[in-house]
């Protein structure tokens, strides 16, 4: 049988943690803890499949509206994961990048992000991009500001701006656009995720809540992606 290719880059909106917890009479934070476990399992599975880039929406620019307790719990889970990743780096060979404005994170978490990004830069089995305090619109505003500064500084004229040049100002610089974006939990919105990079991505929306998302669900999403006819505006 013909082996269908796996997408090089898969992006996931890890949605439904709160509803998963509510269904079980648990606090929302328990849903995030379960979601972090699912992330571990799915990241490992992506590596097994040969996926080169996995981008996950871990915390949006809008998520600060949640309670201090919930925000703190998500940040703690991320910190614990990064400590673990730093410890196991030589074994796992995962490269980490962070998309988002990290300056609003605690100094300790910023330090862990910087350490994970710097120390893992030599690895390349799979690259995990964590979107943290990330918003697609915010990313475009920050890229526009940086380009405007370079124009003011005489490096470019406004006419120099091309799609490629603009992309080089984004958090995702040097990362190919995701072929497949998965949103579990039944919601059918993009929620400010990878606005520029998703121009030609295939979206797969699934009914499962993120903590229940399994390797079989990922297989199903990839199968659906493989069944699509990607035309990129052509015929
Ligand atoms: C969306 O579900 C999920 C988030 C805002 C947080 C995602 C964070 C994690 C999975 C943990 C991060 C840690 C690691 C190691 C990846 P929701 O809370 O909006 O769910 P709901 O729509 O059911 O309320």
């Amino acid at each position: 049988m013909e082996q269908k290719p796996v997408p090089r880059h898969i992006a996931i909106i890890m949605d439904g943690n709160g509803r998963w917890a509510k269904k079980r009479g648990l606090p929302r934070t328990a849903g995030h803890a379960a979601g972090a476990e699912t992330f571990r399992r799915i990241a490992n599975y992506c590596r097994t499949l040969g996926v080169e880039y996995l981008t996950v929406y871990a915390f949006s620019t809008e998520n600060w509206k949640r309670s201090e307790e919930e925000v703190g719990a998500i940040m703690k889970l991320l910190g614990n994961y990064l400590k673990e990743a730093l410890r196991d780096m030589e074994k796992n060979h995962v490269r980490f990048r962070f998309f988002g404005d990290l300056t609003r994170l605690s100094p300790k978490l910023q330090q862990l992000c910087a350490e994970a990004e710097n120390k893992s830069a030599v690895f390349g089995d799979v690259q995990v991009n964590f979107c943290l305090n990330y918003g697609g619109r915010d990313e475009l505003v920050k890229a526009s500001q940086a380009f405007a500064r370079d124009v003011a500084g005489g490096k470019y004229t406004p006419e120099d701006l091309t799609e490629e040049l603009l992309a080089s100002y984004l958090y995702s610089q040097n990362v190919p656009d995701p072929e497949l974006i998965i949103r579990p939990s039944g919601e059918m919105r993009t929620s400010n995720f990878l606005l520029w990079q998703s121009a030609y991505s295939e979206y797969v929306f699934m009914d499962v809540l993120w903590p229940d998302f399994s390797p079989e669900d990922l297989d199903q999403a990839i199968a659906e992606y493989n069944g699509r006819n990607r035309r990129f505006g052509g015929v």
Side-chain angles (χ1 to χ4, degrees):
M1 235 171 65
E2 187 202 350
Q3 180 89 30
K4 292 273 193 177
V6 291
R8 274 186 85 191
H9 183 175
I10 297 178
I12 305 181
I13 300 177
M14 303 186 290
D15 195 16
N17 296 345
R19 277 163 284 166
W20 182 92
K22 193 170 177 205
K23 261 176 44 183
R24 286 164 177 73
L26 297 169
R28 295 179 57 82
T29 50
H32 296 310
E37 282 309 313
T38 300
F39 164 76
R40 284 179 174 83
R41 202 175 327 124
I42 294 302
N44 276 333
Y45 187 56
C46 281
R47 197 169 45 155
T48 318
L49 291 178
V51 172
E52 292 174 54
Y53 301 88
L54 172 66
T55 301
V56 289
Y57 210 177
F59 197 86
S60 76
T61 44
E62 288 72 39
N63 286 151
W64 297 105
K65 292 180 201 146
R66 298 182 179 211
S67 75
E68 213 173 298
E69 186 200 357
E70 185 171 344
V71 171
I74 295 172
M75 297 301 167
K76 192 159 182 224
L77 287 164
L78 282 161
N80 289 344
Y81 176 79
L82 292 177
K83 280 184 215 154
E84 187 185 299
L86 280 161
R87 194 192 59 211
D88 298 340
M89 200 157 263
E90 296 297 331
K91 189 173 76 192
N92 292 338
H93 287 200
V94 177
R95 181 173 182 181
F96 293 99
R97 288 263 302 266
F98 298 87
F99 296 177
D101 179 3
L102 303 188
T103 60
R104 215 178 144 182
L105 308 182
S106 73
K108 213 167 133 195
L109 193 54
Q110 287 185 50
Q111 168 64 29
L112 277 170
C113 292
E115 211 177 321
E117 190 157 296
N118 295 334
K119 289 194 173 156
S120 71
V122 293
F123 299 125
D125 283 9
V126 58
Q127 177 170 316
V128 172
N129 306 308
F130 278 110
C131 294
L132 261 184
N133 190 23
Y134 173 88
R137 288 184 172 184
D138 187 55
E139 179 178 36
L140 287 163
V141 167
K142 290 206 164 56
S144 307
Q145 289 171 340
F147 177 69
R149 275 195 297 272
D150 280 345
V151 170
K155 187 173 176 190
Y156 294 118
T157 67
E159 288 68 33
D160 288 330
L161 192 62
T162 58
E163 293 190 7
E164 289 70 29
L165 186 58
L166 198 146
S168 75
Y169 284 92
L170 301 176
Y171 296 123
S172 58
Q173 57 173 251
N174 300 324
V175 175
D177 291 341
E179 290 91 349
L180 169 62
I181 301 183
I182 303 170
R183 182 166 194 161
S185 95
E187 306 290 353
M188 297 201 202
R189 290 186 289 279
T190 62
S191 296
N192 208 7
F193 187 46
L194 304 178
L195 292 183
W196 174 274
Q197 300 85 345
S198 64
Y200 289 102
S201 303
E202 295 294 332
Y203 261 92
V204 172
F205 296 102
M206 303 177 87
D207 264 336
V208 58
L209 302 172
W210 175 248
D212 291 328
F213 192 92
S214 66
E216 291 72 32
D217 291 314
L218 188 68
D219 287 341
Q220 194 188 317
I222 293 173
E224 187 167 334
Y225 162 81
N226 278 321
R228 304 256 178 103
N229 180 8
R230 304 186 79 208
R231 291 191 296 275
F232 301 95
V235 287

